[in-house]
Amino acid sequence: MDVRALETLRAVRTQGGVSAAATVLHLTPSAVSQQLAALTRDAGVPLTERIGRGLRLTPAGEALADAAVDVAVAVERARAACAVFLDRPEGTVRVSAFQSGARLLLPGLLTRVAALDGIDLECSDEDVAQDEFPALTDRVDVVVAHRPDGGAGWPGEGARLRVVPLLREPLDVAVPADHPLAGRGSVRPGDLVDEEWIAVRQGFPVARVLEAVAAAAGAPPRIAHRINDFSVVEALVAAGHGVSLVPRHTGGTHPGVRLVALAGVRAGRRVEALLRPDVAERLVVRRVLDELVAEAAEVSGPAPVR
Amino acid sequence: MDVRALETLRAVRTQGGVSAAATVLHLTPSAVSQQLAALTRDAGVPLTERIGRGLRLTPAGEALADAAVDVAVAVERARAACAVFLDRPEGTVRVSAFQSGARLLLPGLLTRVAALDGIDLECSDEDVAQDEFPALTDRVDVVVAHRPDGGAGWPGEGARLRVVPLLREPLDVAVPADHPLAGRGSVRPGDLVDEEWIAVRQGFPVARVLEAVAAAAGAPPRIAHRINDFSVVEALVAAGHGVSLVPRHTGGTHPGVRLVALAGVRAGRRVEALLRPDVAERLVVRRVLDELVAEAAEVSGPAPVR
DNA sequence: ACGTCCATGCAGTGACACTACAGGGACACG
DNA sequence: CGTGTCCCTGTAGTGTCACTGCATGGACGT
């Protein structure tokens, strides 16, 4: 039973197909298909079944993919067992974050890690829909993700995916500086029924929060634009093209925008680090993760995260 | 980090050298040496150090070998995860036992396993010293071993070695049928000070028990012969060449020999099954092990084993 | 009906792990 | 103190095997 093939099977599951798995594994689809065939022959039972033009894992395949995670964890533990005897942890860690999270955390993280000698950090920003965050763990080591506060957890959380909470960020209402509500200490959903909204794209993490706020006000929101980048959002808000929900620590940088706290409804997002369980065993990754947690605690203020 | 090399490292530890490890792995010493070199390069720290003309694992090597066990366990779990989806467990299991244990347990085990379709059993008998039992787990799947009752456990028991208790067997004194003590219900160590003894070879499992018995009598034992095979021992006893300690369920088959219970001193042996933790994950091995435990319970009588 | 996408099979090639053999150090013996 | 033996470690050679590239077939959408 080849460990490499097990890793491939795991990638096929999370990526949802042979071609996608081949991409993250830096292989051709043919190689992945052959590995699957060899693994199936070895296992004695079908591990995948064709579904349309793609394929899906059978129950046996799912079970084997679960076991593959444990194998990968054991292998990384072995590597970590040696790394303990090295004088200092070395290596490169790849971190990806969604835009606002990247702007909030990555600068501080980079300075922190620069102080630790021997650790290289490769950062990237990723703009993906809510349910695509877990699959990113195949491309990078640490994925800084976010999800609506109070929503469901991540699929596979625990066994397939390790989740480390970083911070909770309330969502405030961004209004133009000359807006009637700009001076208010807080607003309630009912105050906002007449506003035009600038929302994020469908399926992206905080999209549902606006719906919840509007539901509290009793009317569906009037969405004028769908913009993902909060700096663009603030520019539009400042120009009077609508109001928006923006994370408190991320927003408020534009001079023409005021943030007003939202009362009477629970609106916020959780920022969390996502890792594959095997990657979480690497010592360098743990060091970086520690710094990331510390940085998150600092930027979210002295108040406790949870 | 190659899983095969990790397995090799583990074998080098248990076998105590490159050549011995090469033998059990069905490789040449050169191949083992090269795998070790590659693994060391990968780990970044020395895993072995030369000691005389052999070699020994460094602390890092020990740690990595421990981790290698976990890797092997995870891989076998993966294989077992697939085997669950097969209609019935199949495969071959190799069992080895010391002579008297083999005579006691293997016939019944073979009939039991023959009733289970699809499982092949390969049996062998091994005559090794006490401290060589664990290393046998590299050659066969299940090692039926024995050790003096009350003695220390096996090295590496738990993490490196799985131990399954089978039965406890008291040691009786075998005397000729015409011996003055032959009719007695039990004898005490003091009754035996004048006897000549037939012992097992130095270092073999129950060698120390005789010393303990003699110590209770207050005089060192007079050992006339050292014979490992109990059927040979009984033949010598029947011919009047001395008395001996023999396991109760094993001995007493020779017509010219009587077994007398030993009172006033704790004399017995524990028969146990030894397995590598990864091998213990295989479903077929578990099935065979269940039958072995059941067989042991049957031959040791209705009394509880422990 | 056609184009696109995806998984799979087959031939070719390159890397890599093994065997065989030689070399060097360490212990035991005469 | 020399010699023999044992054991581990390098080097050259070879065979195996996994990957790439390309062609094929099926499925979905237009």
Side-chain angles (χ1 to χ4, degrees), chain A residues 17-19 29-30 33-34 50 53 55:
Chain A
V18 171
S19 298
S30 179
S33 183
Q34 288 175 51
R50 302 223 40 162
R53 53 185 165 185
L55 52 73

Side-chain angles (χ1 to χ4, degrees), chain B residues 126-304:
Chain B
E126 299 281 353
D127 184 27
V128 298
Q130 171 98 33
D131 53 0
E132 287 172 18
F133 275 115
L136 289 181
T137 54
D138 282 341
R139 311 187 68 98
V140 297
D141 299 315
V142 180
V143 174
V144 179
H146 56 154
R147 61 183 174 91
D149 197 2
W154 301 99
E157 182 169 346
R160 301 181 201 171
L161 195 67
R162 203 137 301 175
V163 179
V164 179
L166 294 176
L167 56 89
R168 184 189 175 276
E169 207 174 7
L171 291 175
D172 290 339
V173 181
V175 296
D178 56 359
H179 193 279
L181 295 174
R184 294 269 293 272
S186 69
V187 295
R188 306 186 67 81
D191 302 329
L192 301 163
V193 283
D194 295 329
E195 300 293 340
E196 291 226 314
W197 286 93
I198 301 169
V200 297
R201 284 207 293 274
Q202 295 277 19
F204 278 70
V206 292
R208 316 202 115 190
V209 177
L210 176 57
E211 298 169 18
V213 171
R222 291 173 22 225
I223 296 174
H225 310 288
R226 291 195 174 271
I227 305 289
N228 270 26
D229 189 311
F230 286 116
S231 64
V232 177
V233 167
E234 293 205 341
L236 291 182
V237 169
H241 296 298
V243 301
S244 183
L245 290 175
V246 303
R248 182 169 301 168
H249 304 307
T250 307
T253 54
H254 196 290
V257 169
R258 296 289 178 276
L259 298 189
V260 188
L262 196 55
V265 63
R266 182 174 176 80
R269 65 172 183 179
R270 291 198 175 278
V271 178
E272 297 163 324
L274 270 41
L275 303 90
R276 290 208 326 251
D278 55 325
V279 173
E281 295 294 331
R282 289 173 54 196
L283 291 183
V284 276
V285 171
R286 294 193 166 198
R287 289 302 308 271
V288 169
L289 203 56
D290 288 344
E291 299 300 333
L292 185 58
V293 169
E295 176 68 18
E298 192 176 311
V299 300
S300 66

Side-chain angles (χ1 to χ4, degrees), chain A residues 1-2 4-9 12 17-19 21-22 25 27-43 45 47-48 50 55:
Chain A
M1 186 141 304
D2 184 22
R4 210 164 147 67
L6 287 175
E7 180 69 13
T8 300
L9 179 69
V12 168
V18 171
S19 298
L25 295 172
L27 292 173
T28 58
S30 179
V32 171
S33 183
Q34 288 175 51
Q35 284 194 13
L36 253 47
L39 196 62
T40 303
R41 197 175 342 108
D42 192 11
V45 289
L47 302 175
T48 57
R50 302 223 40 162
L55 52 73

Side-chain angles (χ1 to χ4, degrees), chain B residues 17-19 29-30 33-34 50 53 55:
Chain B
V18 171
S19 299
S30 180
S33 182
Q34 288 175 53
R50 302 222 43 160
R53 52 183 166 186
L55 51 73

Side-chain angles (χ1 to χ4, degrees), chain A residues 28 58 71 107 111 186 203 205 212 244 276 285-286:
Chain A
T28 58
T58 62
V71 171
T111 32
S186 70
S244 182
R276 290 207 325 251
V285 172
R286 294 193 165 196

Side-chain angles (χ1 to χ4, degrees), chain A residues 99-154:
Chain A
Q99 285 93 334
S100 59
R103 199 169 117 195
L104 192 64
L105 296 170
L106 292 191
L109 179 64
L110 279 165
T111 32
R112 283 171 182 272
V113 172
L116 275 51
D117 201 38
I119 301 184
D120 286 335
L121 211 57
E122 293 181 3
C123 296
S124 61
D125 62 329
E126 299 281 352
D127 185 27
V128 298
Q130 171 99 31
D131 53 0
E132 288 172 18
F133 274 115
L136 288 181
T137 54
D138 282 340
R139 311 188 68 99
V140 297
D141 299 314
V142 180
V143 174
V144 179
H146 56 153
R147 61 182 174 92
D149 196 3
W154 302 99

